[in-house]
Amino acid sequence: MQYTSPTKNGYFGRFGGKFVPEILIPALNELEAAYANVKNDPSFHEEFMFLLREYVGRPTPLTFAERLTEHFGKARIYLKREDLCHTGAHKINNTVGQVLLARRMGKKRIIAETGAGQHGVATATVCARFGMECVVYMGAEDTERQKLNVDRMRLLGAEVRPVTSGSQTLKDATNEAIRDWVTNVDDTFYIIGSVVGPHPYPMMVRDFHRIIGDETRSQLQKIEGKLPDYVVACVGGGSNAMGIFYPFIEDEHVKLIGVEAAGYGVESGKTAATFAKGTPGVLHGSLSFLLQTNQGQIALAHSVSAGLDYPGVGPEHAHLHDIKRVQYVPVTDEEALEGVRLTSSMEGIIPALETAHAMAFLNTLMPTTTAGEVVVVNCSGRGDKDMATISKFI
Amino acid sequence: MASDRITSVFQKAGQKPVMAMFITAGYPEPAVTPDIIAALESSGADIIELGMPFSDPLADGPTIQYSSEVAIEQGTDLDSIFEMVKQVRITSSIPIVLMGYINPILYYGVEKFFEKAASAGVDGFILPDVPVEEAGLVETYCDKHALALIYLVAPNTTDERMRLIDQKSHGFVYCVSVTGVTGARDGDQVAQSVSRFIDRVKANITKNPVLVGFGIKSHEDAKQISAGLRGFVVGSALIDTIRKNYPNSDWLDRTREFVEEIKYGK
């Protein structure tokens, strides 16, 4: 199978596109042209890879999870250690790429949205590194449940603007960031934190994160002499999953599994399971799967994990779901918290609540595997930021 | 042809500016929307832009976010908006343009939406998150029912794109006065922004009349900002006026006064 998505109009199958106000069209066209320029520019690639190595700390290890493997007694389990990236999650791969692009485009002001605060911290970090003005929009509710990250962003020199409209979470922070961009379109670069938004963002963010899958592929070849049988990653907007899945899409025998947040359960009405409960629609500039009311209004999502607490998903995931290349499965809040406990006690790794959803799915997946097989889980972030939430359950 | 009502408004107006008034359907409550439209018409509005409320209106400022929330909370949906239009149509032939985001329309079903809108008596549509790139989703249905699809141009729209938008638009072209979201603003700043690109607008948009909107809140603003164009749109300032007076017993009179003042001055 040859995989070439997106089309030049930004479509992954029937999903994607550019559903934005006219004011943003010139900005997206400018971004698209600038990105096309750097994509095949060796000097950009060199600068990007240098920073990933010397600043982010790549390549990240592919750790054999010995005790977890023994515990399940089936396939061998490896963890791709994005939690060891500078700032504690995969998010910084993308912010490094986008800030380099912003510099080449001559933009002086950076804006971003954030849910859990990881993307906000990763953006504030690269802005500090390059001496750029940084404004981060964050739902007022999230600024309270992720206070540590608010303090980190402020220390890094970013201005954090709490968003009090709507549900006061990631969805509304994104609305507000887009409103800022519409207003300050001439000098401002919007660093989107996931594989969402209008074209070219879903493609560009995926490309900046594909390093996760590329490294996994060559590391596993060295250790096991083969490709994985399963790759598992959590999906909110879906950036860490796209990053690790993308280099394996054409290898059809590699089973790709995206784990979405079911919240209290997919039928509970308090969920973020976009594929289990969503339908196609337009949010934040692209056509994808969405949680919505029976009037076509955007529904409120719920997940214990702020990073997965989003009613949409990237359009490329919607396409991969359509063509059945990736299987999407739901994991509840409770199961995710059990995943935190399992990974912490067995491997000495405290995963982020987002990541814990992927870890928790091992309980379902592992009994169906065999001893010769290999499972890779993307350990997308570390759990320090979530200790306040986790503490309530231990 | 439904969009003929729009065309004839511009013909009848001659040299006088055409005034479009925006109100969110279902704000401040669904039952009064037809009354508001009648009041707007009787006090001088030439075209009604009726907002279809959406939970995440990312091109709108706080005023329209607020009116949209209120309208949704009270159960305003697309079917109820068609009912409001039908009610207005019993007595009025004022052009009605529905303005809103694409998602509720997709959810409702695009084909069914345009069919019902046409039969209710809607004349056209402004869909702020559907640029010409994505128009394939809706264009054929608008053509089928002779409904006007109205696109926007902004200060940063290139000449070439303005010509494309003019070609694609029917009824009129909506010129966004400033880069930003909807909402009342300092009139001088808006006028300055428009003065920087009005020559390009006039040179490139030749097929359709142009109405300018975003930031207009008074007669003076309207005169200054729309000079050289065919007219203007007022939205947030009207909703702010209703918000200030509703539900006092004279809120509808105050609304009429506001509209007359915009149209004729004090």
Side-chain angles (χ1 to χ4, degrees), chain A residues 11 18 22-23 171 175 179 282 292 296-298, chain B residues 53 55-57 60 65 77 103 129 134 156 161:
Chain A
Y11 272 84
K18 278 183 187 171
E22 184 61 32
I23 295 170
K171 165 178 89 79
N175 291 342
R179 288 181 186 123
V282 169
Q292 43 189 332
Q297 308 295 353
I298 308 305
Chain B
S55 55
D56 294 77
D60 285 300
Q65 288 177 49
D77 61 10
N103 193 60
D129 60 349
E134 307 296 348
N156 59 352
R161 230 182 129 76

mmCIF file with all atom_site columns, all heavy atoms in Angstrom, chain A residues 11 18 22-23 171 175 179 282 292 296-298, chain B residues 53 55-57 60 65 77 103 129 134 156 161:
data_model
loop_
_atom_site.group_PDB
_atom_site.id
_atom_site.type_symbol
_atom_site.label_atom_id
_atom_site.label_alt_id
_atom_site.label_comp_id
_atom_site.label_asym_id
_atom_site.label_entity_id
_atom_site.label_seq_id
_atom_site.pdbx_PDB_ins_code
_atom_site.Cartn_x
_atom_site.Cartn_y
_atom_site.Cartn_z
_atom_site.occupancy
_atom_site.B_iso_or_equiv
_atom_site.pdbx_formal_charge
_atom_site.auth_seq_id
_atom_site.auth_comp_id
_atom_site.auth_asym_id
_atom_site.auth_atom_id
_atom_site.pdbx_PDB_model_num
ATOM 1   N N   . TYR A 1 11  ? -6.238  17.372 2.076  1.00 0.00 ? 11  TYR A N   1
ATOM 2   C CA  . TYR A 1 11  ? -7.222  16.356 2.425  1.00 0.00 ? 11  TYR A CA  1
ATOM 3   C C   . TYR A 1 11  ? -6.579  14.986 2.628  1.00 0.00 ? 11  TYR A C   1
ATOM 4   O O   . TYR A 1 11  ? -5.739  14.552 1.846  1.00 0.00 ? 11  TYR A O   1
ATOM 5   C CB  . TYR A 1 11  ? -8.317  16.264 1.352  1.00 0.00 ? 11  TYR A CB  1
ATOM 6   C CG  . TYR A 1 11  ? -9.440  17.240 1.654  1.00 0.00 ? 11  TYR A CG  1
ATOM 7   C CD1 . TYR A 1 11  ? -9.361  18.562 1.260  1.00 0.00 ? 11  TYR A CD1 1
ATOM 8   C CD2 . TYR A 1 11  ? -10.548 16.828 2.393  1.00 0.00 ? 11  TYR A CD2 1
ATOM 9   C CE1 . TYR A 1 11  ? -10.362 19.464 1.579  1.00 0.00 ? 11  TYR A CE1 1
ATOM 10  C CE2 . TYR A 1 11  ? -11.560 17.721 2.713  1.00 0.00 ? 11  TYR A CE2 1
ATOM 11  C CZ  . TYR A 1 11  ? -11.466 19.033 2.306  1.00 0.00 ? 11  TYR A CZ  1
ATOM 12  O OH  . TYR A 1 11  ? -12.454 19.909 2.640  1.00 0.00 ? 11  TYR A OH  1
ATOM 13  N N   . LYS A 1 18  ? -9.342  23.352 4.824  1.00 0.00 ? 18  LYS A N   1
ATOM 14  C CA  . LYS A 1 18  ? -9.016  24.669 5.404  1.00 0.00 ? 18  LYS A CA  1
ATOM 15  C C   . LYS A 1 18  ? -10.309 25.408 5.684  1.00 0.00 ? 18  LYS A C   1
ATOM 16  O O   . LYS A 1 18  ? -10.726 26.239 4.877  1.00 0.00 ? 18  LYS A O   1
ATOM 17  C CB  . LYS A 1 18  ? -8.253  25.506 4.371  1.00 0.00 ? 18  LYS A CB  1
ATOM 18  C CG  . LYS A 1 18  ? -6.783  25.256 4.239  1.00 0.00 ? 18  LYS A CG  1
ATOM 19  C CD  . LYS A 1 18  ? -6.238  26.254 3.200  1.00 0.00 ? 18  LYS A CD  1
ATOM 20  C CE  . LYS A 1 18  ? -4.790  25.933 2.905  1.00 0.00 ? 18  LYS A CE  1
ATOM 21  N NZ  . LYS A 1 18  ? -4.278  26.714 1.773  1.00 0.00 ? 18  LYS A NZ  1
ATOM 22  N N   . GLU A 1 22  ? -11.607 34.097 5.964  1.00 0.00 ? 22  GLU A N   1
ATOM 23  C CA  . GLU A 1 22  ? -10.822 34.606 4.831  1.00 0.00 ? 22  GLU A CA  1
ATOM 24  C C   . GLU A 1 22  ? -9.502  35.249 5.280  1.00 0.00 ? 22  GLU A C   1
ATOM 25  O O   . GLU A 1 22  ? -8.477  35.097 4.615  1.00 0.00 ? 22  GLU A O   1
ATOM 26  C CB  . GLU A 1 22  ? -11.678 35.622 4.061  1.00 0.00 ? 22  GLU A CB  1
ATOM 27  C CG  . GLU A 1 22  ? -11.050 36.171 2.814  1.00 0.00 ? 22  GLU A CG  1
ATOM 28  C CD  . GLU A 1 22  ? -10.730 35.120 1.755  1.00 0.00 ? 22  GLU A CD  1
ATOM 29  O OE1 . GLU A 1 22  ? -11.469 34.125 1.661  1.00 0.00 ? 22  GLU A OE1 1
ATOM 30  O OE2 . GLU A 1 22  ? -9.722  35.299 1.048  1.00 0.00 ? 22  GLU A OE2 1
ATOM 31  N N   . ILE A 1 23  ? -9.541  35.936 6.423  1.00 0.00 ? 23  ILE A N   1
ATOM 32  C CA  . ILE A 1 23  ? -8.339  36.626 6.923  1.00 0.00 ? 23  ILE A CA  1
ATOM 33  C C   . ILE A 1 23  ? -7.161  35.665 7.084  1.00 0.00 ? 23  ILE A C   1
ATOM 34  O O   . ILE A 1 23  ? -6.009  36.053 6.919  1.00 0.00 ? 23  ILE A O   1
ATOM 35  C CB  . ILE A 1 23  ? -8.647  37.308 8.285  1.00 0.00 ? 23  ILE A CB  1
ATOM 36  C CG1 . ILE A 1 23  ? -9.680  38.423 8.090  1.00 0.00 ? 23  ILE A CG1 1
ATOM 37  C CG2 . ILE A 1 23  ? -7.388  37.861 8.925  1.00 0.00 ? 23  ILE A CG2 1
ATOM 38  C CD1 . ILE A 1 23  ? -10.227 38.985 9.388  1.00 0.00 ? 23  ILE A CD1 1
ATOM 39  N N   . LYS A 1 171 ? -10.524 23.305 24.066 1.00 0.00 ? 171 LYS A N   1
ATOM 40  C CA  . LYS A 1 171 ? -11.317 23.732 22.912 1.00 0.00 ? 171 LYS A CA  1
ATOM 41  C C   . LYS A 1 171 ? -11.443 25.263 22.874 1.00 0.00 ? 171 LYS A C   1
ATOM 42  O O   . LYS A 1 171 ? -11.262 25.885 21.828 1.00 0.00 ? 171 LYS A O   1
ATOM 43  C CB  . LYS A 1 171 ? -12.704 23.087 23.027 1.00 0.00 ? 171 LYS A CB  1
ATOM 44  C CG  . LYS A 1 171 ? -13.776 23.669 22.146 1.00 0.00 ? 171 LYS A CG  1
ATOM 45  C CD  . LYS A 1 171 ? -15.082 22.906 22.331 1.00 0.00 ? 171 LYS A CD  1
ATOM 46  C CE  . LYS A 1 171 ? -15.976 23.459 23.447 1.00 0.00 ? 171 LYS A CE  1
ATOM 47  N NZ  . LYS A 1 171 ? -16.736 24.653 23.072 1.00 0.00 ? 171 LYS A NZ  1
ATOM 48  N N   . ASN A 1 175 ? -9.995  28.269 20.375 1.00 0.00 ? 175 ASN A N   1
ATOM 49  C CA  . ASN A 1 175 ? -10.803 29.352 19.782 1.00 0.00 ? 175 ASN A CA  1
ATOM 50  C C   . ASN A 1 175 ? -10.119 30.701 19.997 1.00 0.00 ? 175 ASN A C   1
ATOM 51  O O   . ASN A 1 175 ? -10.026 31.522 19.090 1.00 0.00 ? 175 ASN A O   1
ATOM 52  C CB  . ASN A 1 175 ? -12.188 29.438 20.431 1.00 0.00 ? 175 ASN A CB  1
ATOM 53  C CG  . ASN A 1 175 ? -13.073 28.255 20.082 1.00 0.00 ? 175 ASN A CG  1
ATOM 54  O OD1 . ASN A 1 175 ? -12.819 27.540 19.121 1.00 0.00 ? 175 ASN A OD1 1
ATOM 55  N ND2 . ASN A 1 175 ? -14.107 28.047 20.868 1.00 0.00 ? 175 ASN A ND2 1
ATOM 56  N N   . ARG A 1 179 ? -8.616  33.480 17.439 1.00 0.00 ? 179 ARG A N   1
ATOM 57  C CA  . ARG A 1 179 ? -9.072  34.889 17.421 1.00 0.00 ? 179 ARG A CA  1
ATOM 58  C C   . ARG A 1 179 ? -7.881  35.840 17.500 1.00 0.00 ? 179 ARG A C   1
ATOM 59  O O   . ARG A 1 179 ? -7.867  36.888 16.843 1.00 0.00 ? 179 ARG A O   1
ATOM 60  C CB  . ARG A 1 179 ? -10.049 35.147 18.576 1.00 0.00 ? 179 ARG A CB  1
ATOM 61  C CG  . ARG A 1 179 ? -11.393 34.490 18.350 1.00 0.00 ? 179 ARG A CG  1
ATOM 62  C CD  . ARG A 1 179 ? -12.388 34.752 19.498 1.00 0.00 ? 179 ARG A CD  1
ATOM 63  N NE  . ARG A 1 179 ? -13.591 33.969 19.264 1.00 0.00 ? 179 ARG A NE  1
ATOM 64  C CZ  . ARG A 1 179 ? -14.097 33.076 20.106 1.00 0.00 ? 179 ARG A CZ  1
ATOM 65  N NH1 . ARG A 1 179 ? -13.552 32.886 21.295 1.00 0.00 ? 179 ARG A NH1 1
ATOM 66  N NH2 . ARG A 1 179 ? -15.184 32.395 19.794 1.00 0.00 ? 179 ARG A NH2 1
ATOM 67  N N   . VAL A 1 282 ? -16.830 19.896 11.427 1.00 0.00 ? 282 VAL A N   1
ATOM 68  C CA  . VAL A 1 282 ? -15.741 20.867 11.311 1.00 0.00 ? 282 VAL A CA  1
ATOM 69  C C   . VAL A 1 282 ? -15.528 21.577 12.637 1.00 0.00 ? 282 VAL A C   1
ATOM 70  O O   . VAL A 1 282 ? -16.456 22.162 13.192 1.00 0.00 ? 282 VAL A O   1
ATOM 71  C CB  . VAL A 1 282 ? -16.042 21.916 10.216 1.00 0.00 ? 282 VAL A CB  1
ATOM 72  C CG1 . VAL A 1 282 ? -15.044 23.061 10.274 1.00 0.00 ? 282 VAL A CG1 1
ATOM 73  C CG2 . VAL A 1 282 ? -16.014 21.262 8.835  1.00 0.00 ? 282 VAL A CG2 1
ATOM 74  N N   . GLN A 1 292 ? -20.370 15.848 19.156 1.00 0.00 ? 292 GLN A N   1
ATOM 75  C CA  . GLN A 1 292 ? -21.290 16.975 18.987 1.00 0.00 ? 292 GLN A CA  1
ATOM 76  C C   . GLN A 1 292 ? -22.699 16.612 19.458 1.00 0.00 ? 292 GLN A C   1
ATOM 77  O O   . GLN A 1 292 ? -23.041 15.454 19.607 1.00 0.00 ? 292 GLN A O   1
ATOM 78  C CB  . GLN A 1 292 ? -21.298 17.481 17.553 1.00 0.00 ? 292 GLN A CB  1
ATOM 79  C CG  . GLN A 1 292 ? -21.314 16.406 16.483 1.00 0.00 ? 292 GLN A CG  1
ATOM 80  C CD  . GLN A 1 292 ? -21.106 17.003 15.080 1.00 0.00 ? 292 GLN A CD  1
ATOM 81  O OE1 . GLN A 1 292 ? -21.444 18.150 14.813 1.00 0.00 ? 292 GLN A OE1 1
ATOM 82  N NE2 . GLN A 1 292 ? -20.565 16.218 14.179 1.00 0.00 ? 292 GLN A NE2 1
ATOM 83  N N   . GLY A 1 296 ? -25.653 19.721 16.189 1.00 0.00 ? 296 GLY A N   1
ATOM 84  C CA  . GLY A 1 296 ? -24.406 20.091 15.534 1.00 0.00 ? 296 GLY A CA  1
ATOM 85  C C   . GLY A 1 296 ? -23.597 21.134 16.300 1.00 0.00 ? 296 GLY A C   1
ATOM 86  O O   . GLY A 1 296 ? -22.734 21.791 15.734 1.00 0.00 ? 296 GLY A O   1
ATOM 87  N N   . GLN A 1 297 ? -23.899 21.294 17.606 1.00 0.00 ? 297 GLN A N   1
ATOM 88  C CA  . GLN A 1 297 ? -23.034 22.128 18.447 1.00 0.00 ? 297 GLN A CA  1
ATOM 89  C C   . GLN A 1 297 ? -21.942 21.215 19.006 1.00 0.00 ? 297 GLN A C   1
ATOM 90  O O   . GLN A 1 297 ? -22.136 20.011 19.137 1.00 0.00 ? 297 GLN A O   1
ATOM 91  C CB  . GLN A 1 297 ? -23.823 22.772 19.598 1.00 0.00 ? 297 GLN A CB  1
ATOM 92  C CG  . GLN A 1 297 ? -25.071 23.528 19.161 1.00 0.00 ? 297 GLN A CG  1
ATOM 93  C CD  . GLN A 1 297 ? -24.777 24.757 18.309 1.00 0.00 ? 297 GLN A CD  1
ATOM 94  O OE1 . GLN A 1 297 ? -23.633 25.154 18.133 1.00 0.00 ? 297 GLN A OE1 1
ATOM 95  N NE2 . GLN A 1 297 ? -25.816 25.343 17.732 1.00 0.00 ? 297 GLN A NE2 1
ATOM 96  N N   . ILE A 1 298 ? -20.774 21.812 19.312 1.00 0.00 ? 298 ILE A N   1
ATOM 97  C CA  . ILE A 1 298 ? -19.670 21.003 19.815 1.00 0.00 ? 298 ILE A CA  1
ATOM 98  C C   . ILE A 1 298 ? -19.960 20.597 21.260 1.00 0.00 ? 298 ILE A C   1
ATOM 99  O O   . ILE A 1 298 ? -20.320 21.433 22.091 1.00 0.00 ? 298 ILE A O   1
ATOM 100 C CB  . ILE A 1 298 ? -18.332 21.780 19.739 1.00 0.00 ? 298 ILE A CB  1
ATOM 101 C CG1 . ILE A 1 298 ? -18.111 22.338 18.328 1.00 0.00 ? 298 ILE A CG1 1
ATOM 102 C CG2 . ILE A 1 298 ? -17.170 20.887 20.166 1.00 0.00 ? 298 ILE A CG2 1
ATOM 103 C CD1 . ILE A 1 298 ? -18.157 21.331 17.197 1.00 0.00 ? 298 ILE A CD1 1
ATOM 104 N N   . PRO B 2 53  ? -26.707 30.467 15.497 1.00 0.00 ? 53  PRO B N   1
ATOM 105 C CA  . PRO B 2 53  ? -25.738 30.384 16.590 1.00 0.00 ? 53  PRO B CA  1
ATOM 106 C C   . PRO B 2 53  ? -24.932 29.082 16.572 1.00 0.00 ? 53  PRO B C   1
ATOM 107 O O   . PRO B 2 53  ? -25.463 28.023 16.254 1.00 0.00 ? 53  PRO B O   1
ATOM 108 C CB  . PRO B 2 53  ? -26.613 30.453 17.848 1.00 0.00 ? 53  PRO B CB  1
ATOM 109 C CG  . PRO B 2 53  ? -27.974 30.042 17.405 1.00 0.00 ? 53  PRO B CG  1
ATOM 110 C CD  . PRO B 2 53  ? -28.096 30.472 15.977 1.00 0.00 ? 53  PRO B CD  1
ATOM 111 N N   . SER B 2 55  ? -21.681 26.988 18.868 1.00 0.00 ? 55  SER B N   1
ATOM 112 C CA  . SER B 2 55  ? -20.992 26.934 20.162 1.00 0.00 ? 55  SER B CA  1
ATOM 113 C C   . SER B 2 55  ? -19.572 27.488 20.119 1.00 0.00 ? 55  SER B C   1
ATOM 114 O O   . SER B 2 55  ? -19.062 27.957 21.125 1.00 0.00 ? 55  SER B O   1
ATOM 115 C CB  . SER B 2 55  ? -20.942 25.490 20.663 1.00 0.00 ? 55  SER B CB  1
ATOM 116 O OG  . SER B 2 55  ? -20.347 24.641 19.678 1.00 0.00 ? 55  SER B OG  1
ATOM 117 N N   . ASP B 2 56  ? -18.927 27.437 18.963 1.00 0.00 ? 56  ASP B N   1
ATOM 118 C CA  . ASP B 2 56  ? -17.519 27.833 18.878 1.00 0.00 ? 56  ASP B CA  1
ATOM 119 C C   . ASP B 2 56  ? -17.279 28.826 17.737 1.00 0.00 ? 56  ASP B C   1
ATOM 120 O O   . ASP B 2 56  ? -16.590 28.502 16.768 1.00 0.00 ? 56  ASP B O   1
ATOM 121 C CB  . ASP B 2 56  ? -16.640 26.591 18.718 1.00 0.00 ? 56  ASP B CB  1
ATOM 122 C CG  . ASP B 2 56  ? -16.686 25.722 19.961 1.00 0.00 ? 56  ASP B CG  1
ATOM 123 O OD1 . ASP B 2 56  ? -17.694 25.009 20.151 1.00 0.00 ? 56  ASP B OD1 1
ATOM 124 O OD2 . ASP B 2 56  ? -15.723 25.772 20.738 1.00 0.00 ? 56  ASP B OD2 1
ATOM 125 N N   . PRO B 2 57  ? -17.829 30.043 17.874 1.00 0.00 ? 57  PRO B N   1
ATOM 126 C CA  . PRO B 2 57  ? -17.765 31.023 16.778 1.00 0.00 ? 57  PRO B CA  1
ATOM 127 C C   . PRO B 2 57  ? -16.404 31.723 16.725 1.00 0.00 ? 57  PRO B C   1
ATOM 128 O O   . PRO B 2 57  ? -16.234 32.810 17.246 1.00 0.00 ? 57  PRO B O   1
ATOM 129 C CB  . PRO B 2 57  ? -18.877 32.010 17.128 1.00 0.00 ? 57  PRO B CB  1
ATOM 130 C CG  . PRO B 2 57  ? -18.967 31.961 18.625 1.00 0.00 ? 57  PRO B CG  1
ATOM 131 C CD  . PRO B 2 57  ? -18.553 30.578 19.047 1.00 0.00 ? 57  PRO B CD  1
ATOM 132 N N   . ASP B 2 60  ? -15.781 35.437 15.763 1.00 0.00 ? 60  ASP B N   1
ATOM 133 C CA  . ASP B 2 60  ? -16.590 36.434 16.458 1.00 0.00 ? 60  ASP B CA  1
ATOM 134 C C   . ASP B 2 60  ? -15.995 36.862 17.790 1.00 0.00 ? 60  ASP B C   1
ATOM 135 O O   . ASP B 2 60  ? -15.373 36.071 18.502 1.00 0.00 ? 60  ASP B O   1
ATOM 136 C CB  . ASP B 2 60  ? -17.999 35.881 16.692 1.00 0.00 ? 60  ASP B CB  1
ATOM 137 C CG  . ASP B 2 60  ? -18.818 35.872 15.408 1.00 0.00 ? 60  ASP B CG  1
ATOM 138 O OD1 . ASP B 2 60  ? -19.007 36.960 14.837 1.00 0.00 ? 60  ASP B OD1 1
ATOM 139 O OD2 . ASP B 2 60  ? -19.227 34.780 14.975 1.00 0.00 ? 60  ASP B OD2 1
ATOM 140 N N   . GLN B 2 65  ? -20.380 35.979 20.628 1.00 0.00 ? 65  GLN B N   1
ATOM 141 C CA  . GLN B 2 65  ? -20.232 34.735 21.399 1.00 0.00 ? 65  GLN B CA  1
ATOM 142 C C   . GLN B 2 65  ? -21.343 34.646 22.445 1.00 0.00 ? 65  GLN B C   1
ATOM 143 O O   . GLN B 2 65  ? -21.951 33.606 22.638 1.00 0.00 ? 65  GLN B O   1
ATOM 144 C CB  . GLN B 2 65  ? -18.891 34.697 22.137 1.00 0.00 ? 65  GLN B CB  1
ATOM 145 C CG  . GLN B 2 65  ? -17.674 34.488 21.259 1.00 0.00 ? 65  GLN B CG  1
ATOM 146 C CD  . GLN B 2 65  ? -16.395 34.551 22.093 1.00 0.00 ? 65  GLN B CD  1
ATOM 147 O OE1 . GLN B 2 65  ? -16.297 33.894 23.127 1.00 0.00 ? 65  GLN B OE1 1
ATOM 148 N NE2 . GLN B 2 65  ? -15.441 35.339 21.656 1.00 0.00 ? 65  GLN B NE2 1
ATOM 149 N N   . ASP B 2 77  ? -32.374 26.176 17.051 1.00 0.00 ? 77  ASP B N   1
ATOM 150 C CA  . ASP B 2 77  ? -31.691 25.277 16.128 1.00 0.00 ? 77  ASP B CA  1
ATOM 151 C C   . ASP B 2 77  ? -32.110 25.643 14.704 1.00 0.00 ? 77  ASP B C   1
ATOM 152 O O   . ASP B 2 77  ? -32.880 26.591 14.498 1.00 0.00 ? 77  ASP B O   1
ATOM 153 C CB  . ASP B 2 77  ? -31.990 23.800 16.463 1.00 0.00 ? 77  ASP B CB  1
ATOM 154 C CG  . ASP B 2 77  ? -33.467 23.471 16.364 1.00 0.00 ? 77  ASP B CG  1
ATOM 155 O OD1 . ASP B 2 77  ? -34.256 24.319 15.865 1.00 0.00 ? 77  ASP B OD1 1
ATOM 156 O OD2 . ASP B 2 77  ? -33.858 22.364 16.782 1.00 0.00 ? 77  ASP B OD2 1
ATOM 157 N N   . ASN B 2 103 ? -20.453 23.788 10.679 1.00 0.00 ? 103 ASN B N   1
ATOM 158 C CA  . ASN B 2 103 ? -20.682 22.497 11.336 1.00 0.00 ? 103 ASN B CA  1
ATOM 159 C C   . ASN B 2 103 ? -22.145 22.126 11.572 1.00 0.00 ? 103 ASN B C   1
ATOM 160 O O   . ASN B 2 103 ? -22.549 21.010 11.244 1.00 0.00 ? 103 ASN B O   1
ATOM 161 C CB  . ASN B 2 103 ? -19.885 22.372 12.640 1.00 0.00 ? 103 ASN B CB  1
ATOM 162 C CG  . ASN B 2 103 ? -19.896 20.946 13.127 1.00 0.00 ? 103 ASN B CG  1
ATOM 163 O OD1 . ASN B 2 103 ? -19.430 20.055 12.430 1.00 0.00 ? 103 ASN B OD1 1
ATOM 164 N ND2 . ASN B 2 103 ? -20.508 20.714 14.273 1.00 0.00 ? 103 ASN B ND2 1
ATOM 165 N N   . ASP B 2 129 ? -16.552 30.371 7.893  1.00 0.00 ? 129 ASP B N   1
ATOM 166 C CA  . ASP B 2 129 ? -15.455 29.394 7.889  1.00 0.00 ? 129 ASP B CA  1
ATOM 167 C C   . ASP B 2 129 ? -15.470 28.509 6.639  1.00 0.00 ? 129 ASP B C   1
ATOM 168 O O   . ASP B 2 129 ? -14.852 27.442 6.635  1.00 0.00 ? 129 ASP B O   1
ATOM 169 C CB  . ASP B 2 129 ? -15.419 28.560 9.190  1.00 0.00 ? 129 ASP B CB  1
ATOM 170 C CG  . ASP B 2 129 ? -16.682 27.760 9.446  1.00 0.00 ? 129 ASP B CG  1
ATOM 171 O OD1 . ASP B 2 129 ? -17.698 27.989 8.750  1.00 0.00 ? 129 ASP B OD1 1
ATOM 172 O OD2 . ASP B 2 129 ? -16.667 26.908 10.363 1.00 0.00 ? 129 ASP B OD2 1
ATOM 173 N N   . GLU B 2 134 ? -13.199 25.656 -0.039 1.00 0.00 ? 134 GLU B N   1
ATOM 174 C CA  . GLU B 2 134 ? -14.056 24.580 0.465  1.00 0.00 ? 134 GLU B CA  1
ATOM 175 C C   . GLU B 2 134 ? -15.496 24.706 -0.033 1.00 0.00 ? 134 GLU B C   1
ATOM 176 O O   . GLU B 2 134 ? -16.391 24.009 0.433  1.00 0.00 ? 134 GLU B O   1
ATOM 177 C CB  . GLU B 2 134 ? -14.047 24.561 2.001  1.00 0.00 ? 134 GLU B CB  1
ATOM 178 C CG  . GLU B 2 134 ? -12.650 24.501 2.626  1.00 0.00 ? 134 GLU B CG  1
ATOM 179 C CD  . GLU B 2 134 ? -11.900 23.221 2.292  1.00 0.00 ? 134 GLU B CD  1
ATOM 180 O OE1 . GLU B 2 134 ? -12.520 22.268 1.768  1.00 0.00 ? 134 GLU B OE1 1
ATOM 181 O OE2 . GLU B 2 134 ? -10.678 23.173 2.539  1.00 0.00 ? 134 GLU B OE2 1
ATOM 182 N N   . ASN B 2 156 ? -6.197  41.837 4.034  1.00 0.00 ? 156 ASN B N   1
ATOM 183 C CA  . ASN B 2 156 ? -5.014  41.133 3.523  1.00 0.00 ? 156 ASN B CA  1
ATOM 184 C C   . ASN B 2 156 ? -5.326  40.217 2.340  1.00 0.00 ? 156 ASN B C   1
ATOM 185 O O   . ASN B 2 156 ? -4.484  39.414 1.943  1.00 0.00 ? 156 ASN B O   1
ATOM 186 C CB  . ASN B 2 156 ? -4.352  40.343 4.661  1.00 0.00 ? 156 ASN B CB  1
ATOM 187 C CG  . ASN B 2 156 ? -5.285  39.318 5.296  1.00 0.00 ? 156 ASN B CG  1
ATOM 188 O OD1 . ASN B 2 156 ? -6.477  39.288 4.993  1.00 0.00 ? 156 ASN B OD1 1
ATOM 189 N ND2 . ASN B 2 156 ? -4.759  38.484 6.168  1.00 0.00 ? 156 ASN B ND2 1
ATOM 190 N N   . ARG B 2 161 ? -7.235  37.218 -5.526 1.00 0.00 ? 161 ARG B N   1
ATOM 191 C CA  . ARG B 2 161 ? -8.257  36.527 -4.758 1.00 0.00 ? 161 ARG B CA  1
ATOM 192 C C   . ARG B 2 161 ? -9.550  37.336 -4.694 1.00 0.00 ? 161 ARG B C   1
ATOM 193 O O   . ARG B 2 161 ? -10.643 36.770 -4.718 1.00 0.00 ? 161 ARG B O   1
ATOM 194 C CB  . ARG B 2 161 ? -7.732  36.301 -3.341 1.00 0.00 ? 161 ARG B CB  1
ATOM 195 C CG  . ARG B 2 161 ? -7.891  34.903 -2.869 1.00 0.00 ? 161 ARG B CG  1
ATOM 196 C CD  . ARG B 2 161 ? -7.408  34.706 -1.467 1.00 0.00 ? 161 ARG B CD  1
ATOM 197 N NE  . ARG B 2 161 ? -8.474  34.047 -0.708 1.00 0.00 ? 161 ARG B NE  1
ATOM 198 C CZ  . ARG B 2 161 ? -8.770  32.759 -0.811 1.00 0.00 ? 161 ARG B CZ  1
ATOM 199 N NH1 . ARG B 2 161 ? -8.108  31.982 -1.621 1.00 0.00 ? 161 ARG B NH1 1
ATOM 200 N NH2 . ARG B 2 161 ? -9.757  32.238 -0.112 1.00 0.00 ? 161 ARG B NH2 1
#
